[in-house]
Each structure stands twice: as C-alpha cells, then as structure tokens.
Amino acid sequence: MPAAFTTRSALSTPASSRRQWLLRASAVAATAWMSGPVLAFKYEDQEFEDKIQLAGSALLLNGVGKRAVSILRGYVAGLYLSRKSTTPDAVYAASGPKRVQIRMLLEVGAEEFVKAVNKGVGRNCSEAEKEALSTRLPLFTQNLQSVGKVRKNDLINIDYLPEQGTVLYVNGKQWGQAVPGNDLYTAFLKVFLGDKPVDKRLKAGLLGEATS
C-alpha cells in the first residue's frame, strides 16, 4: 500500500481509530529498531555493539576509551546506558540497567583491578559513601579477586541490574554473587568518571568525547 494512501486513511478515521493506528505504528517502529542490524563501533581493533539488550532493557553505547600507561595499552572499555549522557552526574543518575564492558589488550592479574577499584573509590567517594559501602565493596572486590587472571582478548562485563545489583562476568561466566545497591555501582563508575579518574582520556571516551 502506498505511503501517501496509508497516511490519508489514518487521518480520515475517527480520533480513537487514529490513536490505535499511531500506537500500532509506534510499536512497529520500536520493533524495527530493536530487530534491525546491530552495528559495531571499532576502537583499538576491538568492536563494541552500538546497542545491546540487558535485563529486558535496550542500552546504547555511550562512549569508549582506552586505559594506557605510556605506550602500554591495558584495555579498552565501553559504557552502555539507557540514554546518552555526557556528564558523570547524568551517568550516575541514569535509570535502569548499566554496563561497563572491558576488552583486555594484555594479560594481568585480577589483583590489579582490585587495587584500581579500591584506590578509585578511596579517591572519589566521600567518607559517608565509603562507610555505607564498608561491607559490600569487599564482596565486589572478592568477586574480582576470584577471577585470578585475565588474558588478552578476554571480555569482562560489569553490569548493574536493578533487581540484583552489581554482577561480574568474564567471557560470559558469572563470578561470585550479585552485590546489591545502586550506590555500589555508582562508586564503581566513579573509578572511571570521578574527579580523580583512573585515566582522564578513558573518562573522556566513556562520556562520548573523541579520543585518539
């Protein structure tokens, strides 16, 4: 059926019928968006899907960045949110599931991640925030420690699931139990996005700014 005829038919129907038509059209559009081809953003020879499904929600790739010291590349990371956000506060306040996806570029012991998390939380969270996390942050770092070692090309997902909490996956395998609390995931995000981030260029990348 020609598009012009469809539009004229919709406009000539009663208001209630037009509402139903618009609802059906919106549903079709949303389905088409989610069922369309998933594009990939390539960065440092690693590919990040531009949209994913997590806990029943559609998430968008907010930005990607690289953790590097001098010429040593450690990993690249992508941040997935329900809507694009360009400031740390907007990221923290975003509703629904979230994901930090890390793709390793070298082999490293999990204790290095534990040190980075503890240092980042210590530098970017208030004393009150750290006190509130005093029993739960160790549970999360224990999950990290239990991985032992991550290798080049390993895929790490650190997810926030509203009904469960912070969940760690390495190459699709869950490590440890979910640790509850949105405040814990916010503290984890501050390691990357806080006033004293682990890497300023990585922070810029995750917030959608162009990085080299």
Side-chain angles (χ1 to χ4, degrees), residues 54-119:
L54 182 62
S57 295
L59 302 186
L60 302 174
L61 180 62
N62 195 71
V64 298
K66 174 177 62 178
R67 170 63 172 138
V69 178
S70 187
I71 62 172
L72 185 64
R73 303 183 308 157
Y75 58 83
V76 290
L79 174 62
Y80 289 89
L81 303 170
S82 57
R83 60 187 300 175
K84 295 277 188 174
S85 301
T86 58
T87 67
D89 286 343
V91 172
Y92 306 149
S95 61
K98 302 174 187 178
R99 167 172 286 177
V100 172
Q101 184 170 99
I102 295 174
R103 294 174 178 269
M104 296 302 302
L105 302 177
L106 51 69
E107 181 176 300
V108 65
E111 68 272 6
E112 295 302 319
F113 281 98
V114 173
K115 291 177 183 177
V117 169
N118 284 331
K119 183 177 180 179

Coordinates of all heavy atoms in Angstrom, one line a residue, residues 54-119:
L54 N 19.8 -5.7 27.9 CA 20.3 -6.2 29.2 C 19.1 -6.1 30.2 O 18.5 -5.0 30.3 CB 21.4 -5.3 29.7 CG 22.0 -5.6 31.1 CD1 22.6 -7.0 31.1 CD2 23.1 -4.6 31.5
A55 N 18.8 -7.2 30.8 CA 17.7 -7.3 31.8 C 16.4 -6.7 31.2 O 15.7 -6.0 31.9 CB 18.0 -6.5 33.1
G56 N 16.1 -7.0 29.9 CA 14.9 -6.5 29.3 C 14.9 -5.1 28.8 O 13.8 -4.6 28.4
S57 N 16.0 -4.4 28.9 CA 16.1 -3.0 28.5 C 17.1 -2.8 27.4 O 18.0 -3.6 27.3 CB 16.6 -2.1 29.7 OG 15.6 -2.1 30.7
A58 N 16.8 -1.9 26.5 CA 17.7 -1.6 25.4 C 18.7 -0.5 25.9 O 18.3 0.5 26.4 CB 16.8 -1.0 24.2
L59 N 19.9 -0.8 25.7 CA 21.0 0.1 26.1 C 21.8 0.5 24.9 O 22.0 -0.2 23.9 CB 21.9 -0.6 27.1 CG 21.3 -1.1 28.4 CD1 22.4 -1.6 29.4 CD2 20.5 -0.1 29.1
L60 N 22.3 1.8 24.9 CA 23.1 2.3 23.9 C 24.5 2.5 24.3 O 24.8 2.7 25.5 CB 22.5 3.7 23.5 CG 21.1 3.8 23.0 CD1 20.6 5.2 22.9 CD2 20.8 3.0 21.8
L61 N 25.4 2.4 23.4 CA 26.8 2.6 23.6 C 27.0 4.1 23.8 O 26.9 4.9 22.9 CB 27.7 2.1 22.5 CG 29.2 2.3 22.6 CD1 29.7 1.5 23.8 CD2 29.9 1.8 21.3
N62 N 27.4 4.5 25.1 CA 27.5 5.9 25.4 C 28.9 6.4 24.9 O 29.0 7.6 24.5 CB 27.4 6.1 26.9 CG 27.2 7.5 27.3 OD1 26.2 8.1 27.1 ND2 28.2 8.1 27.9
G63 N 29.9 5.6 25.0 CA 31.3 6.0 24.6 C 32.3 4.9 24.9 O 32.0 4.0 25.6
V64 N 33.4 5.0 24.3 CA 34.5 4.1 24.5 C 35.8 4.8 24.8 O 36.0 6.0 24.4 CB 34.7 3.1 23.3 CG1 33.4 2.3 23.1 CG2 35.1 3.9 22.1
G65 N 36.7 4.2 25.5 CA 38.0 4.8 25.8 C 39.0 3.7 26.1 O 38.7 2.5 26.2
K66 N 40.3 4.2 26.2 CA 41.4 3.2 26.4 C 42.1 3.6 27.7 O 42.4 4.7 28.1 CB 42.4 3.4 25.2 CG 43.7 2.6 25.4 CD 44.5 2.7 24.1 CE 44.9 4.2 23.8 NZ 45.7 4.3 22.6
R67 N 42.5 2.5 28.4 CA 43.4 2.6 29.6 C 44.8 2.3 29.2 O 45.1 1.2 28.7 CB 42.9 1.7 30.7 CG 43.9 1.6 31.9 CD 44.0 2.9 32.6 NE 44.8 2.7 33.9 CZ 45.7 3.5 34.3 NH1 46.1 4.6 33.5 NH2 46.4 3.3 35.4
A68 N 45.7 3.3 29.3 CA 47.0 3.1 28.8 C 48.0 3.9 29.7 O 47.6 4.9 30.2 CB 47.2 3.5 27.4
V69 N 49.2 3.3 29.9 CA 50.3 4.0 30.6 C 51.4 4.1 29.7 O 52.0 3.0 29.3 CB 50.6 3.2 31.9 CG1 51.8 4.0 32.6 CG2 49.4 3.1 32.8
S70 N 51.8 5.3 29.3 CA 52.8 5.5 28.3 C 52.4 4.7 27.0 O 51.3 4.9 26.5 CB 54.2 5.0 28.8 OG 55.2 5.3 27.9
I71 N 53.3 3.8 26.5 CA 52.9 3.1 25.3 C 52.3 1.7 25.6 O 51.9 1.0 24.7 CB 54.2 2.8 24.4 CG1 55.2 2.0 25.2 CG2 54.8 4.2 24.0 CD1 56.4 1.6 24.3
L72 N 52.1 1.4 26.9 CA 51.5 0.1 27.3 C 50.0 0.3 27.3 O 49.4 1.0 28.1 CB 52.0 -0.3 28.6 CG 51.6 -1.7 29.1 CD1 52.1 -2.7 28.2 CD2 52.0 -1.9 30.6
R73 N 49.3 -0.5 26.4 CA 47.8 -0.5 26.4 C 47.3 -1.6 27.3 O 47.7 -2.7 27.1 CB 47.3 -0.7 24.9 CG 47.9 0.3 23.9 CD 47.2 0.0 22.6 NE 47.4 -1.3 22.2 CZ 46.7 -2.0 21.3 NH1 45.7 -1.3 20.7 NH2 46.9 -3.2 21.0
G74 N 46.5 -1.2 28.2 CA 45.9 -2.2 29.2 C 44.6 -2.8 28.7 O 44.5 -4.0 28.6
Y75 N 43.6 -1.9 28.4 CA 42.3 -2.4 28.0 C 41.6 -1.3 27.4 O 41.9 -0.1 27.5 CB 41.5 -3.0 29.2 CG 41.3 -2.1 30.3 CD1 40.2 -1.1 30.3 CD2 42.1 -2.1 31.5 CE1 40.0 -0.3 31.4 CE2 41.9 -1.2 32.5 CZ 40.8 -0.3 32.5 OH 40.6 0.5 33.5
V76 N 40.5 -1.6 26.6 CA 39.6 -0.6 26.1 C 38.3 -0.9 26.8 O 38.0 -2.1 27.1 CB 39.4 -0.7 24.6 CG1 40.7 -0.1 23.9 CG2 39.1 -2.0 24.1
A77 N 37.5 0.1 27.0 CA 36.2 -0.1 27.8 C 35.1 0.7 27.1 O 35.3 1.8 26.5 CB 36.4 0.4 29.2
G78 N 33.9 0.2 27.2 CA 32.7 0.9 26.7 C 31.7 1.0 27.8 O 31.6 0.1 28.7
L79 N 30.9 2.0 27.7 CA 29.8 2.3 28.7 C 28.5 2.2 28.0 O 28.3 2.9 27.0 CB 30.0 3.6 29.4 CG 28.9 4.1 30.3 CD1 28.8 3.2 31.5 CD2 29.2 5.5 30.8
Y80 N 27.6 1.4 28.6 CA 26.2 1.3 28.0 C 25.2 1.8 29.0 O 25.2 1.4 30.2 CB 25.9 -0.2 27.7 CG 26.7 -0.8 26.5 CD1 27.9 -1.3 26.7 CD2 26.1 -0.7 25.2 CE1 28.6 -1.9 25.6 CE2 26.8 -1.2 24.1 CZ 28.1 -1.8 24.3 OH 28.8 -2.3 23.2
L81 N 24.3 2.6 28.5 CA 23.2 3.3 29.3 C 21.9 3.3 28.5 O 21.9 3.1 27.3 CB 23.6 4.7 29.6 CG 24.9 5.0 30.3 CD1 25.2 6.5 30.4 CD2 24.9 4.4 31.8
S82 N 20.9 3.5 29.2 CA 19.5 3.6 28.6 C 19.4 4.8 27.7 O 18.5 4.9 26.8 CB 18.4 3.6 29.6 OG 18.6 4.6 30.6
R83 N 20.2 5.9 28.0 CA 20.1 7.1 27.2 C 21.5 7.7 27.2 O 22.3 7.6 28.2 CB 19.1 8.1 27.7 CG 19.3 8.5 29.1 CD 18.1 9.4 29.6 NE 17.9 10.6 28.8 CZ 16.9 11.4 28.9 NH1 16.0 11.2 29.9 NH2 16.8 12.5 28.2
K84 N 21.9 8.4 26.2 CA 23.2 9.1 26.1 C 23.4 10.1 27.2 O 22.5 10.9 27.5 CB 23.4 9.7 24.7 CG 23.4 8.8 23.5 CD 24.7 8.2 23.3 CE 24.8 7.4 22.0 NZ 26.1 6.9 21.7
S85 N 24.5 10.1 27.8 CA 24.8 11.0 28.9 C 26.3 11.5 28.7 O 27.2 10.7 28.4 CB 24.7 10.3 30.3 OG 23.4 9.9 30.5
T86 N 26.4 12.8 28.9 CA 27.8 13.4 28.6 C 28.4 14.0 29.9 O 29.5 14.5 29.8 CB 27.6 14.6 27.6 OG1 26.7 15.6 28.1 CG2 27.1 14.1 26.3
T87 N 27.8 13.8 31.0 CA 28.4 14.2 32.3 C 28.4 13.1 33.3 O 27.5 12.2 33.2 CB 27.7 15.4 32.9 OG1 26.4 15.0 33.3 CG2 27.6 16.6 31.9
P88 N 29.3 13.0 34.2 CA 29.3 12.0 35.2 C 28.0 11.9 36.0 O 27.5 10.8 36.2 CB 30.5 12.3 36.1 CG 31.5 13.0 35.2 CD 30.6 13.8 34.3
D89 N 27.5 13.1 36.4 CA 26.3 13.1 37.2 C 25.1 12.5 36.5 O 24.3 11.8 37.1 CB 26.0 14.5 37.7 CG 26.9 15.0 38.8 OD1 27.5 14.1 39.4 OD2 27.0 16.2 39.0
A90 N 25.1 12.8 35.2 CA 24.0 12.2 34.4 C 24.1 10.7 34.3 O 23.1 10.0 34.3 CB 24.0 12.9 33.0
V91 N 25.3 10.2 34.2 CA 25.6 8.8 34.1 C 25.1 8.1 35.4 O 24.4 7.1 35.4 CB 27.0 8.5 33.8 CG1 27.3 7.0 34.0 CG2 27.4 8.9 32.5
Y92 N 25.5 8.7 36.6 CA 25.2 8.2 37.9 C 23.6 8.1 38.0 O 23.1 7.2 38.6 CB 25.8 9.0 39.0 CG 27.3 9.2 38.9 CD1 27.9 10.3 39.4 CD2 28.1 8.2 38.3 CE1 29.2 10.6 39.4 CE2 29.5 8.5 38.3 CZ 30.0 9.6 38.8 OH 31.4 9.8 38.7
A93 N 23.0 9.1 37.5 CA 21.5 9.3 37.7 C 20.7 8.5 36.7 O 19.5 8.3 36.9 CB 21.1 10.7 37.7
A94 N 21.3 8.0 35.7 CA 20.6 7.2 34.7 C 19.9 6.0 35.3 O 20.4 5.3 36.1 CB 21.6 6.8 33.6
S95 N 18.6 5.8 34.9 CA 17.8 4.8 35.4 C 18.1 3.5 34.7 O 18.6 3.4 33.6 CB 16.3 5.1 35.4 OG 15.9 5.3 34.0
G96 N 17.6 2.4 35.3 CA 17.7 1.1 34.6 C 19.1 0.4 34.7 O 20.0 0.9 35.3
P97 N 19.2 -0.7 33.9 CA 20.5 -1.4 33.9 C 21.6 -0.5 33.3 O 21.3 0.4 32.5 CB 20.2 -2.6 33.0 CG 18.7 -2.7 33.0 CD 18.2 -1.3 33.1
K98 N 22.8 -0.9 33.6 CA 24.0 -0.3 33.0 C 25.1 -1.3 32.8 O 25.1 -2.4 33.5 CB 24.6 0.8 34.0 CG 23.6 1.9 34.3 CD 24.1 2.9 35.4 CE 23.0 3.9 35.8 NZ 23.5 4.8 36.9
R99 N 26.0 -1.0 31.9 CA 27.1 -2.0 31.7 C 28.4 -1.2 31.4 O 28.4 -0.3 30.6 CB 26.8 -2.9 30.6 CG 28.0 -3.7 30.1 CD 27.6 -4.8 29.0 NE 26.9 -5.9 29.7 CZ 26.4 -7.0 29.1 NH1 26.5 -7.0 27.7 NH2 25.8 -7.9 29.7
V100 N 29.5 -1.7 32.1 CA 30.8 -1.3 31.7 C 31.4 -2.6 31.1 O 31.5 -3.6 31.7 CB 31.7 -0.8 32.9 CG1 33.1 -0.7 32.4 CG2 31.1 0.5 33.4
Q101 N 31.8 -2.5 29.8 CA 32.4 -3.6 29.1 C 33.9 -3.4 28.9 O 34.3 -2.3 28.3 CB 31.7 -3.9 27.8 CG 32.2 -5.1 27.0 CD 31.3 -5.4 25.8 OE1 31.6 -5.1 24.7 NE2 30.2 -6.1 26.1
I102 N 34.7 -4.3 29.3 CA 36.1 -4.2 29.2 C 36.7 -5.3 28.3 O 36.4 -6.5 28.5 CB 36.8 -4.2 30.6 CG1 36.4 -3.0 31.5 CG2 38.3 -4.3 30.5 CD1 36.9 -3.1 32.9
R103 N 37.5 -4.9 27.4 CA 38.2 -5.8 26.5 C 39.7 -5.7 26.7 O 40.3 -4.7 26.4 CB 37.8 -5.6 25.0 CG 36.3 -5.8 24.7 CD 35.9 -5.4 23.4 NE 34.5 -5.7 23.1 CZ 34.0 -6.8 22.6 NH1 34.9 -7.8 22.3 NH2 32.7 -7.0 22.4
M104 N 40.2 -6.8 27.2 CA 41.6 -6.8 27.6 C 42.6 -6.8 26.4 O 42.4 -7.5 25.4 CB 42.0 -8.0 28.4 CG 41.2 -8.1 29.8 SD 41.5 -6.6 30.8 CE 43.3 -6.7 31.0
L105 N 43.7 -6.0 26.5 CA 44.7 -5.9 25.5 C 46.0 -6.6 25.9 O 46.9 -6.6 25.1 CB 44.9 -4.5 25.1 CG 43.7 -3.7 24.6 CD1 44.1 -2.2 24.3 CD2 43.1 -4.3 23.3
L106 N 46.0 -7.0 27.2 CA 47.2 -7.7 27.7 C 46.8 -8.6 28.8 O 45.6 -8.6 29.3 CB 48.3 -6.8 28.1 CG 48.0 -5.6 29.0 CD1 47.6 -6.0 30.4 CD2 49.2 -4.7 29.1
E107 N 47.7 -9.4 29.3 CA 47.4 -10.3 30.4 C 47.8 -9.6 31.7 O 48.8 -9.0 31.8 CB 48.2 -11.6 30.3 CG 48.0 -12.6 31.4 CD 48.7 -13.9 31.2 OE1 48.5 -14.6 30.2 OE2 49.6 -14.3 32.0
V108 N 46.9 -9.7 32.7 CA 47.1 -9.1 34.0 C 46.4 -9.8 35.1 O 45.4 -10.5 34.9 CB 46.7 -7.6 34.0 CG1 45.2 -7.5 33.8 CG2 47.1 -6.8 35.2
G109 N 47.0 -9.8 36.3 CA 46.4 -10.4 37.5 C 45.2 -9.6 38.0 O 45.2 -8.4 37.9
A110 N 44.2 -10.3 38.4 CA 43.0 -9.7 38.9 C 43.2 -8.7 40.0 O 42.5 -7.8 40.3 CB 41.9 -10.7 39.3
E111 N 44.3 -8.9 40.8 CA 44.6 -8.1 41.9 C 44.8 -6.6 41.5 O 44.6 -5.7 42.3 CB 45.8 -8.6 42.7 CG 47.1 -8.6 42.0 CD 47.4 -9.8 41.2 OE1 46.5 -10.6 41.1 OE2 48.5 -9.9 40.7
E112 N 45.3 -6.5 40.2 CA 45.5 -5.1 39.7 C 44.2 -4.4 39.6 O 44.1 -3.2 39.8 CB 46.2 -5.1 38.4 CG 47.6 -5.7 38.4 CD 48.5 -4.9 39.4 OE1 48.4 -3.7 39.4 OE2 49.3 -5.5 40.1
F113 N 43.1 -5.1 39.2 CA 41.8 -4.5 39.1 C 41.3 -4.2 40.6 O 40.6 -3.1 40.8 CB 40.8 -5.4 38.4 CG 40.9 -5.4 36.9 CD1 41.6 -6.3 36.3 CD2 40.3 -4.3 36.2 CE1 41.7 -6.3 34.9 CE2 40.4 -4.3 34.8 CZ 41.1 -5.3 34.2
V114 N 41.5 -5.1 41.5 CA 41.1 -4.8 42.9 C 41.8 -3.6 43.4 O 41.1 -2.7 44.0 CB 41.5 -6.0 43.8 CG1 41.2 -5.7 45.2 CG2 40.7 -7.3 43.3
K115 N 43.1 -3.4 43.2 CA 43.8 -2.2 43.6 C 43.2 -1.0 43.0 O 43.0 0.1 43.7 CB 45.3 -2.3 43.3 CG 46.1 -3.4 44.0 CD 47.5 -3.5 43.5 CE 48.3 -4.6 44.2 NZ 49.7 -4.7 43.7
A116 N 42.9 -1.0 41.7 CA 42.4 0.1 41.0 C 41.0 0.5 41.5 O 40.7 1.7 41.7 CB 42.3 -0.2 39.5
V117 N 40.2 -0.5 41.8 CA 38.8 -0.2 42.4 C 39.0 0.4 43.8 O 38.3 1.5 44.1 CB 38.0 -1.4 42.4 CG1 36.7 -1.2 43.2 CG2 37.6 -1.9 41.0
N118 N 39.8 -0.2 44.6 CA 39.9 0.3 46.0 C 40.5 1.8 46.0 O 40.0 2.6 46.7 CB 40.8 -0.6 46.8 CG 40.1 -1.9 47.2 OD1 38.8 -1.8 47.4 ND2 40.8 -2.9 47.4
K119 N 41.5 2.0 45.1 CA 42.1 3.3 45.1 C 41.1 4.3 44.5 O 41.0 5.4 45.0 CB 43.3 3.3 44.2 CG 44.1 4.6 44.1 CD 45.4 4.4 43.3 CE 46.1 5.7 43.2 NZ 47.4 5.6 42.4

